[in-house]
Each structure stands twice: as C-alpha cells, then as structure tokens.
Amino acid sequence: MNQIILPKRYLPLDKVSDITSNWDVIRNAVRPEFANDSNIERAQLALSVGLNDAAINYFWNLTIYDLYKKIYAYGIEYFSTSINWNGKPIKTIDDLKEVKDYEILNGAHILSIIPDEAFFYLQQCREIRNHFSAAHYPMGEIDILETFNFIKNCIKYSLTHDLPAPGIQIKDLMERISKEKLDNVDVIVTLINQQAQKVKGPIIHSLFKQFIKQDCDVNSKHNIRLLAPILWEGVAEDVKTSIGQKYASLKDMKDNNTETEALCFLELVDGVNYIPETYLDVLFNKTAKQLKDAHFNWDNFYTEPGYARELRNLGFDVPLSALNSYVKAILLSYLGNGYGVAQDAIKYTEEMISMLNISGIYQLLDILEKDEDIHCELSKSLPANRLPMVINLIKDKNIHPKYKSLYDYLAKSDSITIKKFFNKKYMRTL
C-alpha cells in the first residue's frame, strides 16, 4: 500500500473538532492557490445557515477540479488510455469536464496520481456527494459531523497535496528516437518502466502511429523495431486490443500502404491475433461500457435496463476481445449495488449470463477472482445475496480446472460467507 505523506499545512486540521469556528485552519490546510477559492467561501456560507448538503457539493467540485489540475500536470495525454476513453479527444482541463467523476478517480488512481488509500476514501466521498448533497435529489440529510469528515477527507486526500511531477513526455520521446539509430533501447525502456503501468499504453499507441506514417524517418523506424516488442509485453490487454482495432479501421481506407505498415507493426510485436475478425467488438465494447457506466451512476436503477436490453439485442456471439468488458458489465448489473438492483435489467442480464459459452464462463470466474470493482460490490450484503443466483445460472456448464476450487467454494457458501470472502479480497487491494 502506498504511504500517504501529509504536508505540514494539513496537520493542524487533525486537531480540529469544531468546523464552524476553525475555518482558518481549513483555509491553511489546502494548497495556497485554493485558500480563497469561491467554493470554499460558499461552503462556509452554506454551513453558517445549516446547508450541509450544499457545503459538501462545493468541496467536491473543488476536489474534482484539483484532480483535473493534477491529471493535466502529470500528462493529460496518458489519461484517455488509462480509462479506455472513447469520447472526443481530451487535450485540455476543460475537456476533462466531459468525463464522469468516477472515471476521473479511476484514471488518477491508475496513473498513481492518488494512492490506494486516497482512492478508497475519495470514492466514499463521491458516493456521499451523489446521494446526500444538493447535486441530486438526496436520500436523506447529512449532519455536521459527517459534513466535517467529508471536507476533511477531501482535503487530506487531494486538496492539501501539491501537483505531481510530470510523467515522461511522449513528444520528447518521439523526438529522441528520431535523432539517431540506437544499438539498444535499454535506457529508454528503464525510463518508461519507472512510470505508472498505464503510461505504456499511450506510448505504444504513439509508436504505432509514427510507424505507419508514410513519412516515418529511418531512425524512428529502426528504433521502434527495437522498442515496440519490448513494451508490447508489458501493456494491458485492452491496449493491445485497441491497436488491433486501429488496424481494422485502416482496412476501409484507400491508403493500402498505411494498412500494410500497420500489419507489419502487429507482426513485429506478435500481435496479429488482436486483429478482430469482424468490427462487432467495437459495438460490444461500447455498449458494455455504457451499461457499466450506468451501473456506477447515481440513477443506475433507471438507466441500466435500456443499456442491458441493447447489449442483449447484439446477440450472444461475443467477440473474444470484448468478452471481458461484456461479462463484467452484465455481472455488475445482475449483482446490483449496496442499495439494490435494477429490476428491469435482470431479465436481460440473466439471459446473457445463462448463454455464456466456455470462454465466457472462464472470464466470469476470472473476474470473480481478480476484479476489484466486483470485489467491492460483493463486499456489500445485497450483491452478495445475489451471487448464488449467478452460480446457479452456470451450474451445468464446464468449469475450467483453474477455477474449480473457487466455483465449488462459492457454490456451497451462504451469502454471509460470500460477503466476508470478497470483503477480505477487496481490502487486500487497498
């Protein structure tokens, strides 16, 4: 677990017990640039008239803006790949406004801009803001103590910390590999490996784009041939899949040379198997992501059914490259969350789970074994109560020997045991 090192300016806030009479301590605890921010002014005013729900909304808005700044400072070019962004290009802080708050948190966490502990508590803040603030119709009222804890966590895990050091700049890297032919790329690989894991995705994408250009210089071509196969081994599966999808999109272009160079790149990195047989994987991934996004949104019980229906209507021949996102999305929707389940989506997700082939069952059990989002949901009572129904849906299917012990354990366990089991797995990831 990454250890959080708090700056000295934060420490006096730990001794405060009365938020309303110690507002200067709060101003001094945030980074100096935020001390006189209008959101802090408005939060103080809201608290003075008992509007706790408005106060937490103001602090959350400032926290998200702070994460925008930190993402930009680190290198905004890495962010899109870190969350598998499919929207319009993200190039400025204003572009980040199009990204959902949970994706901002996920991206900042993946890029190690915020550590595990901060991610955990800021996710809690997001839930409180969604359900108890003036941002949406609240589930109930939030008292002054809970408001203070919310504000304190926003400061402790985001607003008090300085901007991160920049990650490796892709532009500088591309300029470097174009200057001379290298005998080896060990120094560059070492530098890249010192960055967050998800940084490799945007870099391999940049190498691919440069390699397929008709005007790619000789030095770059040579150096990419050395560098790309090494980096390819360390990038995530979704990054490899996206490169395969890039090749598929080039097949519809008139420029056959570009398509040929793209194929050469995939042969170079031993990634030809990531070229999709059809383009359906794009549609499956997109719709599965919409269902997953709906699940994590505050109005998920109303929006999930429509996306579940759309995903079901695509059929059951799911491309292998979309299988992980597909299975994860339907599993999240079927299990529900700590507040319940989208009832109108169940008939679709239940059918999709029932129709999973051997590869789909393998993926489902792999997700149950490894996926942090699933572990988080199953550490709550209501989703844990529904997992035995999932196990029942696949009981007559072939279970991969690798996951036979996990399947047998879950099949014989009650919901209380399941909840404890996944709570323990989830806490290990924090």
Side-chain angles (χ1 to χ4, degrees):
M1 180 184 294
N2 297 337
Q3 182 68 38
I4 291 182
I5 300 175
L6 292 165
K8 290 182 179 180
R9 59 174 168 255
Y10 171 81
L11 301 181
L13 185 57
D14 263 340
K15 301 176 182 179
V16 171
S17 58
D18 179 7
I19 187 174
T20 55
S21 61
N22 289 275
W23 203 254
D24 285 342
V25 179
I26 289 176
R27 294 184 188 281
N28 293 332
V30 302
R31 284 206 314 280
E33 67 187 278
F34 289 140
N36 296 311
D37 188 271
S38 61
N39 282 288
I40 293 181
E41 298 279 354
R42 291 168 182 170
Q44 182 182 18
L45 180 61
L47 286 172
S48 70
V49 293
L51 296 177
N52 299 336
D53 56 346
I56 66 172
N57 196 48
Y58 287 129
F59 257 89
W60 182 250
N61 289 344
L62 184 58
T63 300
I64 289 295
Y65 178 68
D66 180 43
L67 292 177
Y68 290 172
K69 296 192 69 172
K70 287 172 177 172
I71 289 167
Y72 187 81
Y74 180 85
I76 200 168
E77 64 267 31
Y78 295 122
F79 181 75
S80 298
T81 301
S82 75
I83 62 169
N84 300 321
W85 178 250
N86 291 318
K88 71 177 185 178
I90 298 175
K91 298 180 180 179
T92 67
I93 286 182
D94 284 341
D95 293 336
L96 289 169
K97 294 176 183 178
E98 301 297 320
V99 183
K100 297 179 184 298
D101 288 358
Y102 90 88
E103 291 179 306
I104 293 292
L105 292 175
N106 282 345
H109 182 221
I110 288 168
L111 295 174
S112 299
I113 293 171
I114 58 173
D116 299 336
E117 182 182 345
F119 176 70
F120 177 81
Y121 282 104
L122 289 175
Q123 282 282 33
Q124 284 191 341
C125 288
R126 184 185 70 85
E127 290 280 348
I128 292 171
R129 182 260 187 183
N130 280 350
H131 295 288
F132 291 93
S133 83
H136 308 294
Y137 191 82
M139 294 179 63
E141 294 185 0
I142 184 167
D143 63 31
I144 189 64
L145 179 59
E146 291 167 333
T147 302
F148 178 42
N149 286 335
F150 181 98
I151 291 174
K152 187 175 180 181
N153 283 340
C154 286
I155 296 172
K156 181 177 182 180
Y157 297 113
S158 183
L159 295 172
T160 193
H161 296 281
D162 293 328
L163 299 177
I168 183 172
Q169 299 300 302
I170 294 177
K171 180 180 178 182
D172 294 343
L173 173 64
M174 300 310 294
E175 289 179 354
R176 181 174 180 180
I177 67 174
S178 69
K179 287 182 178 179
E180 61 176 318
K181 276 190 175 182
L182 301 173
D183 293 330
N184 66 71
V185 289
D186 293 347
V187 174
I188 296 176
V189 170
T190 299
L191 179 63
I192 293 172
N193 284 338
Q194 292 173 349
Q195 308 296 310
Q197 175 62 27
K198 277 287 186 174
V199 165
K200 295 179 181 179
I203 291 175
I204 202 76
H205 271 286
S206 295
L207 295 178
F208 173 76
K209 290 177 183 177
Q210 180 66 18
F211 190 89
I212 67 176
K213 286 182 178 179
Q214 296 306 300
D215 61 350
C216 180
D217 61 274
V218 174
N219 290 340
S220 291
K221 194 78 103 177
H222 169 81
N223 293 333
I224 291 171
R225 287 184 179 277
L226 296 178
L227 186 59
I230 301 172
L231 293 184
W232 185 266
E233 293 299 319
V235 299
E237 289 297 303
D238 57 345
V239 175
K240 296 177 181 179
T241 298
S242 67
I243 297 288
Q245 292 171 346
K246 291 286 187 183
Y247 168 78
S249 68
L250 293 173
K251 290 183 68 65
D252 295 329
M253 297 176 61
K254 295 180 180 180
D255 187 353
N256 292 328
N257 289 329
T258 302
E259 178 191 337
T260 301
E261 289 302 308
L263 180 58
C264 287
F265 182 92
L266 288 166
E267 291 174 341
L268 172 68
V269 298
D270 194 23
V272 173
N273 57 312
Y274 289 92
I275 299 174
E277 294 182 4
T278 68
Y279 303 149
L280 264 181
D281 56 346
V282 177
L283 190 54
F284 270 92
N285 273 312
K286 176 183 177 182
T287 312
K289 185 178 186 300
Q290 288 172 330
L291 177 57
K292 185 185 74 170
D293 287 349
H295 174 80
F296 285 117
N297 213 349
W298 67 275
D299 59 348
N300 63 300
F301 297 150
Y302 302 99
T303 55
E304 280 187 48
Y307 293 124
R309 182 180 64 252
E310 290 181 21
L311 194 58
R312 160 60 187 85
N313 289 342
L314 293 178
F316 303 113
D317 294 326
V318 186
L320 188 60
S321 57
L323 195 56
N324 180 273
S325 58
Y326 174 86
V327 174
K328 180 174 177 177
I330 62 177
L331 187 57
L332 281 168
S333 181
Y334 189 80
L335 292 174
N337 57 34
Y339 303 103
V341 63
Q343 293 291 335
D344 292 339
I346 291 176
K347 61 183 179 181
Y348 303 114
T349 52
E350 184 172 273
E351 185 180 12
M352 286 185 277
I353 293 172
S354 299
M355 294 299 295
L356 288 174
N357 58 21
I358 293 175
S359 296
I361 300 299
Y362 177 92
Q363 195 68 243
L364 186 146
L365 292 169
D366 191 66
I367 287 171
L368 287 173
E369 175 69 27
K370 301 175 182 177
D371 193 277
E372 182 179 335
D373 290 336
I374 297 294
H375 296 168
C376 178
E377 295 293 21
L378 286 171
S379 66
K380 304 165 187 173
S381 296
L382 291 177
N385 289 340
R386 293 185 58 79
L387 184 59
M389 291 184 274
V390 174
I391 300 301
N392 187 59
L393 290 173
I394 63 173
K395 66 180 181 180
D396 297 324
K397 304 291 181 69
N398 292 325
I399 305 301
H400 194 283
K402 180 179 179 181
Y403 296 108
K404 189 67 167 61
S405 60
L406 173 64
Y407 173 84
D408 289 340
Y409 177 79
L410 296 176
K412 69 180 182 181
S413 298
D414 59 24
S415 60
I416 295 176
T417 303
I418 288 172
K419 177 183 175 182
K420 291 180 179 178
F421 175 77
F422 284 102
N423 184 63
K424 186 176 180 181
K425 289 179 76 69
Y426 180 61
M427 294 307 296
R428 284 176 182 169
T429 66
L430 302 179

